[in-house]
């Protein structure tokens, strides 16, 4: 159940007229009173003798009884309360009870207070009510309604328990503004999956991923097909922007614009400027790489490999860093997800898009992100964008699976951190994003893991036993479990590839396994396959690699050489 306290107003009749009217998009059906300060209050919706003016005058009576100089400039209080989509349809009596609980909890009409404010609750849809009140009490004093938003949220959590409704997580004021009921109903009538507000928020976030200048940002917005309006000061300085969909128009056929700050707190122009100021300085430090839009030096597969490494470093920070570092990594992780969804092939794009959409909530909390702590991830987002669309096959497709696998661990780590900090909404969003990533991985990986599995099956029995010995040597506590997994043969083939490339398989495998826990993995062998192929700089798509019939001389020599783990790690990276 979602209560929302709206801005205070000065026109009681205007609000009553709206609540009993057809709505902005004809979404108001059968508006009527479900509760009020007085059981005899007029109901213009059901009583043909009652008028909206009658209800307005009674609501305003305590206000008008004050001397004009003592009347508050803003005296109209407005609260909407909406049930979750999966909740059962409540009766008028139930909504009336909810309304009384809300006005009591917020200080409008505390239970048993005979001098409380006047209020009325109007229902004009199955899933929500609106409560209108005037804040002058019968005794002439103004209601004490400080923190009315927080109080309404706390009461909503109790109502959910009492009525057996979906229990929502407590927010912390950092969430993006949700679509209104009118926006949702309009989208439903038009057959759209998301409201214009949500579509715009997603599109703007994608445009902001990895940007380094105002021009680049606004060029991306224009290229995405949005209508863009800039707010410019007389001096010529850019103050802000707003965007609209070309097909979202009001009754006068004018585009409906949303400013960046109303789409999400981190999409205001100053917040995005802070991103590109950081990103631009990162590029200055790495000027040897051409990342212009016409450059062919960053291929989709190369961008994905580099992003996998950056995400891996971010996982370590989330596991071991301080809060400011972690908050910065999670904000930048949202950019990586947006860029990945934008550039991936069709069979993974839907789940990646949904993962990015829900993870957006996990990128913001009251923990302030430290500047300069997420350079790798922001650069990775930029490389993904400039690498361009990836094919769903070959090395592009295989490195996509590799990157999704690593992002899954980052998002899972984010859920754990938010949970430890009691950021309930953010933790839930990260867990939901992880499920979308799991589905995307299942769409992306089987083809490439299947190739490695078949190569593992074709290994001779002595070679299979040799790879099993490496496994037992490197991770004795995991070996027996891995050997029973379907993906073991793919791991065996990868260990053979690692050895052919001149690495010590047991040493590299131990390093891959110790870097982070594997409890959240569906398949330990799958995770180790991708980690090893990244660390050893092996092709993610193994279909073009030669089959293994015997241990090559180079590998035998490499196995005898002492291992310098730091040097090997640096080389692999």
């Amino acid at each position: 159940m979602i209560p929302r306290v709206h801005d205070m107003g000065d026109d009681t009749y205007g609000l009553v007229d709206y609540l009993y009217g057809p709505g902005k998009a004809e979404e108001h059906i059968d508006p009527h009173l479900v509760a009020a300060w007085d059981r005899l209050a007029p109901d213009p919706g059901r009583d043909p003798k009652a008028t909206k003016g009658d209800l307005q005058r009674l609501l305003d009576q305590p206000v008008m009884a004050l001397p004009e100089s003592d009347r508050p400039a803003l005296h109209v209080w407005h609260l909407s309360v909406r049930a979750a989509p999966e909740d059962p349809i409540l009766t008028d009596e139930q909504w009336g009870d909810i309304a009384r609980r809300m006005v009591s909890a917020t200080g409008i009409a505390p239970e048993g207070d005979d001098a409380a404010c006047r209020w009325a609750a109007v229902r004009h849809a199955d899933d929500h009510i609106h409560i209108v009140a005037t804040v002058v009490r019968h005794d002439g004093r103004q209601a004490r309604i400080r923190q009315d938003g927080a109080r309404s949220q706390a009461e909503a959590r109790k109502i959910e328990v009492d009525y057996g409704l979906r229990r929502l997580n407590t927010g912390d004021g950092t969430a993006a503004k949700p679509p209104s009921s009118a926006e949702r109903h309009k989208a439903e009538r038009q057959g759209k999956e998301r409201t214009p507000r949500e579509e715009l928020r997603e599109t703007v976030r994608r445009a902001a991923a990895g940007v380094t200048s105002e021009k680049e940002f606004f060029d991306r917005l224009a290229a995405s097909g949005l209508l863009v309006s800039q707010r410019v000061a007389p001096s010529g300085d850019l103050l802000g922007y707003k965007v609209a969909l070309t097909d979202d128009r009001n009754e006068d056929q004018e585009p409906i614009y949303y400013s960046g700050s109303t789409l999400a707190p981190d999409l205001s122009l100053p917040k995005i400027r802070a991103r590109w100021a950081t990103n631009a300085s990162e590029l200055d430090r790495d000027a040897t790489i051409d990342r212009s839009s016409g450059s062919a030096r960053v291929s989709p597969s190369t961008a994905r490999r580099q992003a996998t490494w950056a995400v891996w470093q971010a996982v370590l920070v989330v596991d071991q860093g301080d809060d400011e570092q972690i908050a910065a990594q999670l904000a930048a992780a949202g950019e990586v997800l947006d860029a990945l969804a934008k550039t991936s092939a069709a069979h993974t794009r839907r789940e990646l898009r949904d993962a990015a959409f829900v993870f957006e909530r996990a990128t913001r909390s009251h923990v302030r992100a430290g500047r300069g702590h997420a350079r790798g991830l922001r650069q990775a987002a930029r490389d993904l964008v400039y690498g361009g669309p990836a094919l769903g096959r070959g090395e592009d497709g295989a490195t996509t699976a590799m990157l999704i696998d690593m992002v899954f661990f980052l998002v899972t780590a984010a859920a754990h951190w938010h949970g430890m900090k009691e950021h309930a909404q953010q933790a839930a969003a990260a867990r939901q994003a992880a499920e979308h990533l799991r589905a995307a991985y299942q769409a992306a990986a089987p083809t490439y893991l299947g190739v490695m599995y078949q190569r593992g099956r074709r290994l001779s029995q002595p070679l299979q036993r040799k790879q099993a010995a490496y496994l037992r040597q490197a991770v004795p506590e995991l070996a027996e479990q891995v050997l029973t997994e379907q993906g073991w043969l793919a791991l065996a083939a990868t260990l053979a590839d690692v050895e052919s490339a001149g690495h010590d398989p047991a040493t590299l495998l131990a390093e891959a396994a110790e870097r982070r826990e594997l409890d959240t993995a569906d398949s330990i062998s799958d995770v180790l396959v991708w980690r090893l192929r990244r660390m050893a700089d092996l092709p993610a798509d193994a279909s073009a690699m030669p089959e293994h019939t015997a241990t090559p001389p180079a590998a035998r020599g490499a196995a005898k050489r002492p291992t310098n783990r730091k040097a090997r790690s640096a080389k692999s990276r």
Side-chain angles (χ1 to χ4, degrees), residues 299-360:
S299 67
S301 59
T302 299
R304 278 156 172 71
R305 278 187 170 276
Q306 293 171 347
T308 301
W309 173 251
V311 172
W312 175 247
Q313 296 303 306
V315 171
L316 300 181
V317 172
V318 174
D319 280 348
Q320 304 165 11
D322 61 39
D323 287 349
E324 284 193 357
Q325 292 175 322
I326 293 169
Q329 297 292 337
L330 299 190
E335 293 190 48
V336 172
L337 266 173
D338 287 323
L340 181 59
K342 180 178 181 178
T343 59
S344 291
H347 68 297
T348 57
R349 190 179 305 136
R350 173 60 183 268
E351 293 292 349
L352 290 174
R353 178 189 175 190
D354 288 345
F357 184 82
V358 297
F359 189 72
E360 179 263 346

Side-chain angles (χ1 to χ4, degrees), residues 304 347 390-402 444-445 448 530 540:
R304 278 156 172 71
H347 68 297
L391 299 174
R393 59 183 184 276
E395 191 70 4
D396 282 7
T399 51
T400 296
M402 178 188 289
Y448 309 100
W530 296 121

Side-chain angles (χ1 to χ4, degrees), residues 113-137:
D113 186 347
D114 294 335
C117 301
R118 296 187 174 189
W119 59 274
V122 179
R123 181 182 189 181
H124 53 213
D126 286 338
D127 62 350
H128 71 278
I129 60 171
H130 290 262
I131 303 174
V132 54
T134 48
V135 297
V136 175
R137 295 163 44 89

